[in-house]
Amino acid sequence: MSNRKQGLGALAELSARSALSRRHVLAGAAAVGTMAAFGARPAFAKTTMTWMGWQGYETPILSGSFLADNDIDFQPTFISSNEEIITKLQAGGIGKTDLITMYFGYLPLMAEGELLEPIDTAKIELLPKLIPQFVAQDTIKYQGNLMGVPWNWGSLPLMYDPAVVTTPPESWLDILKPEHKGKVAMVDDPLGNLLIWGTVVTGKPMGTILTKEEMVQVIDKLIEIKTKHARAFFPSYGDMSDAFARNEITVSAIGWEAVAVWTQAKGKTIKYTIPKEGTGMFMDCLCIPKDAPHMDLSYKMINHIISPEPQKQFATEQSAGITNLDTVPMLPKELAESYNYADIDGFMQKARLQPVPPTESDGSVATYDDFLNEYQRLSKA
């Protein structure tokens, strides 16, 4: 079996065995919500465009009159994991899918697996407006071609209840203090947990690039937190938000800025901080799947999503980081400051973009398969 197929197979297996639920935008959202099957046709003369992404990520597409202006019948398919996109593309989505949103770390593997079209940068009118540190990432390029357009980002901070925790925790290990026993929130987010605790346990800045022994140590620590300190191993961030709102938890072993927004809507104030060890950072890219049926409209949709008004709407509704710098002055002051747009380099020293574990090892580095197998110990603990 080729390395390409081995890597994609590992991702598909993880998708089947454990959903990466970081961006479940609606509390208690179903694992997979699908609004239309591939190939569905409306009864009227519009162009049907299919898209795959997290629920809530369709917000900028629906912004303004883009769909009406281009006579588009928009058919989204919501996902419960990034790996699910790979699985769906392999299972018949190629040639039927117009656009996807994907965590940047998976792009090299998808490009090698011939699941993506290279981006024609001449057709991305707003590319010069995007945060240059993101566009310059080698991971989103393959054989000299750009494979995805960065459009949103964020970090995985430590969430805490300021009514109980009056001083922001300085270290991730502070959640193990006796006063938090039974009140720690965990979320079933495999890669997210590794992005944080890979660094906390080993001290390495890239918590995803570990030896097999270090990977075991990381999972051992997470099992300790789950069995001795956690209130629950929540299936989604929405569930964690609900638990904060019910005053069941005081701190989290993983977080996402949007949780504070959702919890505030429930009448409960939650804050977040990046501890001294730092944390993981995510960046999602807009990608065009191989043989996309409406290529010109796919490019139009990308340009719409990264334009200022749709970016503003997404940022404010989801408390999200966006990439078009022309949008930043349009954001609420607190939101703009929380993502530190004025010092992106400084932010990226605390919240780091990290690759997924490699698909094959040089003999010392743990592979994605190694991670998958270890994570199952945590899931079953």
Side-chain angles (χ1 to χ4, degrees):
M1 180 181 292
S2 68
N3 293 333
R4 178 179 70 201
K5 291 183 178 178
Q6 286 176 334
L8 292 175
L11 292 176
E13 183 180 355
L14 182 56
S15 175
R17 294 168 67 181
S18 182
L20 300 185
S21 53
R22 170 171 56 80
R23 301 179 192 82
H24 274 197
V25 175
L26 299 181
V32 183
T34 54
M35 294 180 63
F38 285 122
R41 295 289 179 182
F44 40 89
K46 289 189 174 184
T47 300
T48 298
M49 289 195 70
T50 55
W51 167 93
M52 282 195 287
W54 301 95
Q55 192 164 3
Y57 274 28
E58 79 281 12
T59 296
I61 298 174
L62 303 178
S63 177
S65 59
F66 172 77
L67 297 180
D69 292 345
N70 291 278
D71 206 26
I72 293 171
D73 174 49
F74 178 59
Q75 298 291 334
T77 295
F78 298 130
I79 62 169
S80 61
S81 71
N82 281 290
E83 292 84 0
E84 190 177 338
I85 292 178
I86 294 174
T87 302
K88 288 181 179 295
L89 289 178
Q90 290 179 313
I94 292 296
K96 299 178 182 178
T97 311
D98 293 292
L99 194 64
I100 61 173
T101 177
M102 197 74 184
Y103 176 72
F104 86 106
Y106 295 116
L107 267 58
L109 189 62
M110 295 180 72
E112 185 182 350
E114 299 180 354
L115 298 180
L116 301 177
E117 293 282 350
I119 298 293
D120 183 347
T121 56
K123 294 182 179 180
I124 307 298
E125 303 161 4
L126 296 172
L127 194 63
K129 300 290 186 179
L130 305 186
I131 294 174
Q133 292 92 332
F134 295 166
V135 178
Q137 291 291 318
D138 289 337
T139 310
I140 65 175
K141 299 179 177 68
Y142 182 73
Q143 295 182 345
N145 295 312
L146 186 69
M147 304 306 298
V149 179
W151 78 280
N152 92 84
W153 61 287
S155 68
L156 306 174
L158 190 159
M159 319 294 297
Y160 66 97
D161 181 352
V164 178
V165 184
T166 56
T167 302
E170 294 183 359
S171 168
W172 282 100
L173 295 174
D174 287 346
I175 68 172
L176 306 184
K177 290 182 177 180
E179 59 263 36
H180 302 307
K181 190 175 182 64
K183 298 179 181 180
V184 176
M186 297 185 76
V187 176
D188 187 10
D189 181 345
L191 184 60
N193 282 309
L194 184 62
L195 292 174
I196 296 170
W197 290 93
T199 293
V200 175
V201 172
T202 70
K204 291 185 173 180
M206 295 292 108
T208 55
I209 308 301
L210 306 174
T211 66
K212 290 183 179 181
E213 292 75 16
E214 288 170 336
M215 189 71 75
V216 171
Q217 293 169 11
V218 172
I219 297 301
D220 284 346
K221 175 58 71 173
L222 287 168
I223 290 174
E224 175 191 340
I225 298 171
K226 181 181 179 182
T227 58
K228 298 182 179 180
H229 301 273
R231 168 75 176 184
F233 194 56
F234 297 112
S236 79
Y237 285 83
D239 293 313
M240 183 171 76
S241 172
D242 289 341
F244 266 122
R246 294 191 299 264
N247 298 311
E248 294 177 357
I249 53 179
T250 56
V251 292
S252 72
I254 190 172
W256 180 26
E257 289 95 345
V259 172
V261 177
W262 307 335
T263 311
Q264 186 67 54
K266 300 177 178 73
K268 176 72 174 181
T269 297
I270 293 297
K271 292 186 177 182
Y272 52 85
T273 186
I274 296 179
K276 64 182 181 181
E277 299 93 345
T279 190
M281 180 177 176
F282 65 88
M283 177 180 74
D284 289 316
C285 292
L286 297 165
C287 305
I288 300 177
K290 186 73 174 177
D291 300 328
H294 309 105
M295 197 73 71
D296 289 342
L297 282 177
S298 293
Y299 278 104
K300 277 191 175 183
M301 187 171 283
I302 291 175
N303 280 305
H304 171 72
I305 291 170
I306 62 175
S307 61
E309 282 298 335
Q311 289 257 289
K312 175 188 174 183
Q313 182 173 339
F314 180 74
T316 53
E317 289 187 8
Q318 307 297 338
S319 187
I322 42 81
T323 58
N324 188 330
L325 290 172
D326 283 353
T327 307
V328 176
M330 302 164 59
L331 300 177
K333 183 174 181 291
E334 182 177 340
L335 182 58
E337 291 179 349
S338 70
Y339 282 92
N340 202 5
Y341 289 99
D343 183 15
I344 294 294
D345 288 329
F347 189 93
M348 293 177 71
Q349 290 178 6
K350 297 185 298 180
R352 295 174 286 271
L353 289 174
Q354 303 178 46
V356 298
T359 56
E360 58 180 291
S361 177
D362 59 1
S364 62
V365 177
T367 65
Y368 205 98
D369 273 328
D370 295 328
F371 168 54
L372 183 153
N373 290 329
E374 281 299 311
Y375 193 82
Q376 294 310 305
R377 289 202 297 123
L378 173 62
S379 297
K380 296 174 182 178

